[in-house]
Amino acid sequence: SWEVLYLQPFPQSFSKATGTLFIMQENKIAKLQYIRSTLRNFPDFPSKGIQFWDVCPILKDPKALGYTIDLFEEHLKEKFSKIDHIVGLDARGFLFGPLLSQRLGIGFILVRKKGKLPGPTVSCSYALEYGTAEVEMQADAVEPGQKVVIIDDLIATGGTLNAACRLLRQQNAEVLECTVLLELKELNGSENMKPVPVHSLISLN
């Protein structure tokens, strides 16, 4: 099952201005429904018990991809007066992040797995089910005080997103929000990310 998180119902009686907002909301719902219709689920991939949500059909469909970037852009413009950079997580954050950055007219920063970036880097480790892993970015990617939004395709438990937040805070950047296409609600990723807010276009239960 799925739900749209950020759309709120309007009263039955509303003004012309509110009516315009209602039309805009209906447009958002239509876009989300179209995006949702393109998603595919593969049970037991990559291992038994995992429900894998495939975003590849969104990338294949220019309309779905355009709608996705539209909704990210609208949300961020409504919520924040200033964003310096979009930060994308390895690897699917790289699919949506540059397009969103271009729409907003700001820079894009990569957070990658350890050992994938040239030059001086900074890193942060995080726990896996068995062992640890590290994420890193170039040391000069962000300046102290800059405001950033982190983007990825999906939040499950929030482990990688949390590590990216800590990495950016090490560099004295301000993480405004993590924004994702899909959220797996039952895994409590948003709760694990607090106090950093998480915005998702679609919530999957």
Side-chain angles (χ1 to χ4, degrees):
S1 63
W2 67 286
E3 60 179 331
V4 175
L5 289 183
Y6 67 90
L7 301 178
Q8 302 296 326
F10 278 86
Q12 293 182 355
S13 176
F14 49 85
S15 66
K16 183 177 180 181
T18 307
T20 301
L21 291 174
F22 181 78
I23 293 171
M24 292 171 64
Q25 180 160 311
E26 289 290 298
N27 187 43
K28 288 182 179 180
I29 292 173
K31 288 180 177 181
L32 283 163
Q33 288 175 334
Y34 186 85
I35 293 166
R36 176 63 180 85
S37 72
T38 67
L39 294 172
R40 297 186 298 188
N41 175 250
F42 291 94
D44 299 321
F45 181 85
S47 59
K48 189 171 179 60
I50 301 295
Q51 296 286 332
F52 186 89
W53 287 92
D54 182 20
V55 301
C56 291
I58 293 177
L59 304 173
K60 183 179 174 182
D61 185 332
K63 184 177 176 180
L65 181 57
Y67 283 172
T68 301
I69 304 305
D70 287 347
L71 294 173
F72 281 140
E73 178 189 11
E74 290 165 14
H75 165 72
L76 293 179
K77 283 183 174 178
E78 288 169 5
K79 188 168 182 181
F80 302 111
S81 60
K82 178 178 173 56
I83 304 171
D84 293 301
H85 298 293
I86 298 295
V87 178
L89 296 195
D90 195 346
R92 293 188 215 170
F94 301 167
L95 303 175
F96 302 109
L99 296 174
L100 179 58
S101 293
Q102 187 179 46
R103 288 275 193 96
L104 296 173
I106 58 178
F108 177 72
I109 295 172
L110 291 78
V111 170
R112 299 213 63 185
K113 298 178 179 69
K114 182 75 172 175
K116 300 292 185 180
L117 290 169
T121 60
V122 290
S123 64
C124 181
S125 63
Y126 62 102
L128 300 173
E129 186 176 359
Y130 301 103
T132 60
E134 287 187 78
V135 292
E136 70 177 4
M137 66 181 184
Q138 291 177 318
D140 61 355
V142 64
E143 297 178 6
Q146 288 191 318
K147 301 176 185 294
V148 303
V149 169
I150 303 175
I151 191 169
D152 205 1
D153 67 321
L154 177 146
I155 181 170
T157 62
T160 311
L161 277 170
N162 201 301
C165 288
R166 289 188 283 118
L167 178 60
L168 286 154
R169 286 198 294 266
Q170 286 176 17
Q171 299 301 98
N172 296 309
E174 180 182 351
V175 180
L176 300 174
E177 180 180 88
C178 294
T179 187
V180 297
L181 172 60
L182 307 174
E183 179 177 5
L184 306 183
K185 291 290 287 184
E186 63 183 9
L187 297 179
N188 298 316
S190 291
E191 290 295 315
N192 297 334
M193 290 299 300
K194 288 182 176 178
V196 176
V198 175
H199 170 73
S200 55
L201 297 185
I202 296 171
S203 175
L204 299 167
N205 298 310

